[in-house]
Amino acid sequence: MTLAEILASLFPAGHDVRVAGGLITGTGPLADGPVHVLGVADRTALGVDEALRMAGAVIDIARSPSGAPILVLIDSDSQRMSKRDELLGLSEYLAHLAKSLLLADRAGHRTIGLLYGHTAAGAFIATALATGTLVALPGADPVVMDLPSMSRVTKLSIEVLTEKAKATPVFAPGLDNLAQTGAILATWDPAKALDAQLAALLATPVGDDVRDLLGAERKGRTKSAEIAKRVVELARAGG
Amino acid sequence: MSVDPNVMSWYEASARQRIDALTDPHSFVEFIGPEQREVSPHLPIFDLPEQFDDGMVVGRANIGGASIFIAAQEGRFMGGAFGEVHGAKLVGLLRAAKAMKRDVLVLFDTGGVRLQEANAGELAISEIIRAIVAARTEGVRVVGLIGGRSGCYGGGGLIAGSCSTLVVSEHGRISVSGPEVIETNKGVEEFDSADKALVWRTMGGKNRYLIGGADLFADDSVAAFRTAATAALARTPRLDLDTMEAEQVRLQRRLDRFGNATDAVDIWTTLGFADAAAVPGLSTDEFLQMAYGHREAADDAR
């Protein structure tokens, strides 16, 4: 689905969501009140300038008393790979955005990520993966690293990597593989109205980070939840 | 044979040597140690050797008598990269830190996500950031120490940016995209990864300390890192929306002041150093003296 189609289905009564400089901002009405819409469009790379603008918008919303949820729509590139961005400390800007989203969620502004296009690497961590609940639309294309780059690093051919990917979802790019590891709660049905699907999601209670349990259940990450739980138990047993 | 921590190089030390030298004698208790042989289930797919601790050592210890949790990455195994088991150990430690309100030291030494288990590594990094935020909002300090062989790259840089305080040495590189990644994707004109001086002055500890990307600058010795870690653990812990507003202002100020810089030397000149080009050659004492009163500081805006 295109961004315009998504917004039309989310807000049949209209909205004021706009895209400027690759960033999405605005609001739209749901049955229970307004929802803030933020995000990255047009496969824009997330550099220091974009991350700071987006974090500023998140903090402003988190400060507002309404408690209105934040929908984060993502079709991004990876982090911007440039000398300037790294010189200025891109890691801090991306971490700042991730922390702001997590704190907004804790401050009562529920954060829902909707992955509708591409995303990769540091941009993925700082946006979609920093929302309280992440859902996707079919055709979404999250990657940690694309197979050609992985082929260079691992010195294995793309054919061999594609073959290995069939045996395990743990390294290969794509929505299905990320979903199996627990990153994505659900994939929405584009044939049904998105406003109803969003409303249903907002009606579910907010919980802890259960992505490792989800990964175990879906057999995409068999060890994470168990190892983390054992460490917690050992730490607590020692007093 | 024990090595004198005053002279042992942090850069050269292993993860376990760093923990031993940093913490009170015989106080370290490891959780899921190598004897448990919790190895990566994914490396055999690529015919790669496993390590019994998967390159991550976690446990509890004392520093100056105070109980802390501690995690150390082994940069010499898979470049200290985050895989499923490696990452899950730190997730568990941070969740325990929140529950027990106990401070955490994270000894970074990482190239980022381990590509052979990229999805699990990426997700672990996200879980770690979320667990750090949850612990910090409960008043827990999460102190990052950076000065290892593999630096602190990729998602490791984002985790570092989520810590309450960062200690860095000259050798400590903090960055998202590594030099080779930028060169491969954008060309050698954008970043020449073979130019080591460029790498150090762009991503290295001195520039990070000067722009406020790190809070304490340490000599490359385990003793200096211990002194700095102790100072970091004495700082007032805080993470709330006020902190984020202060960080927003701080990071905006950095763009306003240095946004047009084309090299670290331009930044250092703007900071007011008469001989900015000399910064890389300064000793720790000379550097700290020069930085004093000129550097940008993060204070409570991280």
Side-chain angles (χ1 to χ4, degrees):
Chain A
M1 287 177 95
T2 66
L3 180 60
E5 289 165 351
I6 292 165
L7 291 168
S9 182
L10 280 167
F11 310 115
H15 60 82
D16 64 10
V17 179
R18 301 289 177 266
V19 178
L23 297 187
I24 304 168
T25 51
T27 55
L30 285 182
D32 294 340
V35 55
H36 297 279
V37 182
L38 293 175
V40 187
D42 307 325
R43 206 169 167 156
T44 301
L46 212 55
V48 291
D49 306 283
E50 292 82 7
L52 194 63
R53 267 179 59 204
M54 200 168 159
V58 172
I59 295 166
D60 286 346
I61 295 166
R63 280 291 188 203
S64 68
S66 71
I70 307 173
L71 181 64
V72 183
L73 299 172
I74 298 298
D75 173 24
S76 79
D77 197 352
S78 66
Q79 73 273 9
R80 179 170 296 123
M81 296 175 182
S82 82
K83 181 184 172 188
R84 173 178 179 267
D85 285 274
E86 293 303 344
L87 181 63
L88 293 168
L90 179 60
S91 55
E92 285 179 88
Y93 289 81
L94 294 179
H96 175 63
L97 174 55
K99 285 183 290 188
S100 298
L101 282 167
L102 292 167
L103 286 172
D105 200 79
R106 298 180 77 84
H109 294 265
R110 187 143 180 201
T111 52
I112 309 282
L114 175 57
L115 196 55
Y116 72 97
H118 186 75
T119 189
F124 189 17
I125 297 174
T127 60
L129 289 176
T131 57
T133 313
L134 179 59
V135 294
L137 280 163
D141 172 34
V143 303
V144 177
M145 184 171 266
D146 56 285
L147 283 186
S149 301
M150 199 174 288
S151 163
R152 261 200 315 273
V153 175
T154 59
K155 297 181 177 56
L156 295 168
S157 70
I158 292 179
E159 293 71 42
V160 171
L161 285 173
T162 309
E163 195 53 40
K164 287 181 189 294
K166 288 178 188 155
T168 170
V170 83
F171 73 88
L175 180 58
D176 292 345
N177 294 316
L178 264 306
Q180 268 194 65
T181 53
I184 293 146
L185 178 69
T187 301
W188 280 357
D189 183 352
K192 294 182 181 154
L194 296 186
D195 56 347
Q197 295 181 77
L198 177 58
L201 187 57
L202 288 170
T204 61
V206 186
D208 291 332
D209 190 354
V210 293
R211 293 175 290 180
D212 55 355
L213 296 172
L214 217 51
E217 200 179 290
R218 296 173 181 173
K219 301 188 172 28
R221 276 197 301 161
T222 53
K223 302 219 73 154
S224 297
E226 181 227 328
I227 293 281
K229 183 164 171 273
R230 270 170 63 199
V231 170
V232 171
E233 285 166 1
L234 287 163
R236 300 195 73 147
Chain B
M1 195 188 84
S2 65
V3 181
D4 179 357
N6 292 304
V7 297
M8 186 197 278
S9 158
W10 184 267
Y11 186 80
E12 299 290 342
S14 71
R16 289 173 191 281
Q17 283 175 322
R18 286 176 191 151
I19 289 178
D20 282 347
L22 204 60
T23 57
D24 298 349
H26 313 297
S27 70
F28 178 64
V29 178
E30 187 169 355
F31 306 143
I32 313 188
E35 78 287 351
Q36 307 267 328
R37 302 198 174 189
E38 283 292 359
V39 298
S40 163
H42 311 299
L43 293 179
I45 301 168
F46 295 86
D47 300 317
L48 288 168
E50 304 137 337
Q51 187 162 293
F52 290 153
D53 59 14
D54 204 36
M56 174 69 88
V57 185
V58 301
R60 74 165 160 274
N62 295 337
I63 286 195
S67 298
I68 51 135
F69 287 137
I70 188 164
Q73 295 181 290
E74 180 49 71
R76 288 179 288 197
F77 173 67
M78 300 296 298
F82 285 88
E84 180 170 359
V85 172
H86 181 109
K89 283 194 199 175
L90 182 51
V91 171
L93 193 76
L94 290 160
R95 287 178 182 167
K98 172 180 184 274
M100 298 178 72
K101 306 247 191 311
R102 189 169 296 177
D103 296 337
V104 187
L105 295 185
V106 183
L107 285 50
F108 290 97
D109 200 347
T110 186
V113 167
R114 190 185 295 172
L115 293 180
Q116 292 81 0
E117 39 192 296
N119 298 338
E122 179 101 343
L123 215 43
I125 286 165
S126 174
E127 288 166 341
I128 288 163
I129 291 171
R130 199 172 295 192
I132 288 176
V133 167
R136 286 188 59 196
T137 55
E138 297 286 329
V140 169
R141 297 172 187 82
V142 182
V143 175
L145 310 181
I146 300 167
R149 196 176 281 272
S150 295
C152 186
Y153 281 103
L158 272 75
I159 298 173
S162 306
C163 289
S164 31
T165 303
L166 290 178
V167 177
V168 72
S169 69
E170 181 170 11
H171 298 71
R173 289 144 294 148
I174 310 172
S175 183
V176 188
S177 313
E180 290 83 8
V181 173
I182 302 176
E183 184 183 307
T184 303
N185 284 282
K186 303 294 168 187
V188 71
E189 304 77 20
E190 178 67 27
F191 205 102
D192 180 1
S193 67
D195 184 348
K196 294 304 170 199
L198 171 69
V199 174
W200 290 110
R201 77 177 179 270
T202 306
M203 301 163 175
K206 279 181 173 168
N207 188 44
R208 293 309 181 220
Y209 180 70
L210 289 174
I211 64 174
D215 306 287
L216 297 158
F217 188 83
D219 223 343
D220 177 40
S221 76
V222 173
F225 268 88
R226 183 180 169 117
T227 303
T230 305
L233 289 169
R235 291 166 69 124
T236 309
R238 180 170 189 184
L239 180 63
D240 54 24
L241 286 171
D242 289 343
T243 320
M244 285 303 96
E245 261 180 13
E247 186 167 61
Q248 183 80 19
V249 171
R250 174 173 80 82
L251 295 178
Q252 181 63 55
R253 176 181 156 91
R254 188 185 296 171
L255 293 188
D256 295 343
R257 282 195 88 184
F258 313 126
N260 294 323
T262 57
D263 192 281
V265 175
D266 298 341
I267 293 180
W268 305 339
T269 302
T270 305
L271 283 170
F273 301 141
D275 189 6
V279 167
L282 297 176
S283 72
T284 298
D285 285 346
E286 291 166 341
F287 172 69
L288 287 174
Q289 216 161 30
M290 192 168 170
Y292 185 78
H294 289 287
R295 65 179 281 260
E296 291 282 344
D299 294 326
D300 295 324
R302 190 186 302 290

